[in-house]
Amino acid sequence: MTESADDRQSLVLLKLEERAGGRIAWVTFNNPAKRNSLGLAGKERLVEILTALRHDETLRALVLTGAGDQSFVGGTNLAEMKDFDLAAAEASANKTHRMCDAVRQFPAPVIARINGYCFGSGMELAACADMRVGAEHARFGMPEVRFGIPSGMEASVLPRLIGWGKACELVLTGDHIDAHEAYRIGYLERLVPYAGLDAAV
């Protein structure tokens, strides 16, 4: 079954907030039933949104977050991946790269508002933002190795934030860390209670 254009648009939501000095774009990953995991359509939709926003000269910041209070992005959609052949797996990896690169290359500052689980491609995506603010209940990790899936090329951005050793530990073991550890190792710039997340952003 293929997704309709409306389904694709609902996977990643865009809200523009008008302020005195310009606009703030809030981009929300909207698949809370699956921890806001990103499948092919969600990755494509994010790239579309960021490509369109690049040309908005009134934009002063971009905030990335997840719907609800449980998950930022819980990784790639594993249910979708189970049916991948080699070509589909390569296409998925390429879409993850394009998505992360669109965040890295975005002309306005990008803040990741991490409101819960931040795993796999979600941790890579947040690492590509300029700054990261995390809620105290958030958890982080690269668990795909435990399913026999190697971490993607975007894991290469982790050492610049948390050092080579800690990046290797997360990528090779699939272990999770809590938000306090993520803040201690330098992955997060701010660590706050969930109720203070928006104020910190």
Side-chain angles (χ1 to χ4, degrees):
M1 185 173 102
T2 59
E3 290 171 312
S4 69
D6 287 343
D7 290 337
R8 286 183 68 249
Q9 290 192 347
S10 70
L11 289 172
V12 185
L13 306 177
L14 171 64
K15 181 181 78 172
L16 292 170
E17 178 186 347
E18 302 289 344
R19 294 196 180 185
R23 301 205 289 179
I24 309 298
W26 293 76
V27 175
T28 303
F29 306 110
N30 185 40
N31 190 11
K34 295 188 177 181
R35 294 186 176 177
N36 296 323
S37 63
L38 283 175
L40 298 174
K43 293 172 187 178
E44 289 172 358
R45 179 63 182 148
L46 178 59
V47 172
E48 287 173 3
I49 289 172
L50 297 190
T51 300
L53 288 176
R54 288 184 64 83
H55 307 293
D56 185 346
E57 295 184 359
T58 70
L59 204 64
R60 295 294 173 263
L62 170 72
V63 180
L64 299 174
T65 193
D69 60 1
Q70 294 300 310
S71 189
F72 173 70
V73 173
T76 295
N77 189 336
L78 293 178
E80 184 180 79
M81 291 182 72
K82 70 181 175 57
D83 297 320
F84 281 177
D85 58 16
L86 185 59
E90 184 176 356
S92 178
N94 286 337
K95 288 182 192 301
T96 299
H97 172 67
R98 289 184 59 223
M99 171 184 75
C100 289
D101 196 51
V103 171
R104 259 197 312 265
Q105 302 293 333
F106 198 73
V110 180
I111 302 170
R113 176 191 179 274
I114 302 171
N115 54 314
Y117 294 113
C118 185
F119 291 150
S121 58
M123 190 170 187
E124 295 169 350
L125 181 65
C128 292
D130 298 297
M131 293 179 282
R132 285 148 297 281
V133 179
E136 288 179 329
H137 71 281
R139 295 191 64 79
F140 303 81
M142 302 293 288
E144 54 267 38
V145 67
R146 295 185 174 184
F147 298 92
I149 304 168
S151 294
M153 66 189 85
E154 306 310 319
S156 63
V157 303
L158 292 175
R160 71 181 174 87
L161 295 175
I162 63 176
W164 184 260
K166 197 67 180 180
C168 284
E169 179 185 348
L170 291 176
V171 168
L172 297 178
T173 67
D175 287 348
H176 302 168
I177 58 174
D178 63 23
H180 291 274
E181 176 68 357
Y183 179 70
R184 186 192 71 80
I185 64 177
Y187 184 81
L188 295 175
E189 278 71 49
R190 296 284 187 278
L191 175 63
V192 295
Y194 178 76
L197 196 53
D198 287 339
V201 169

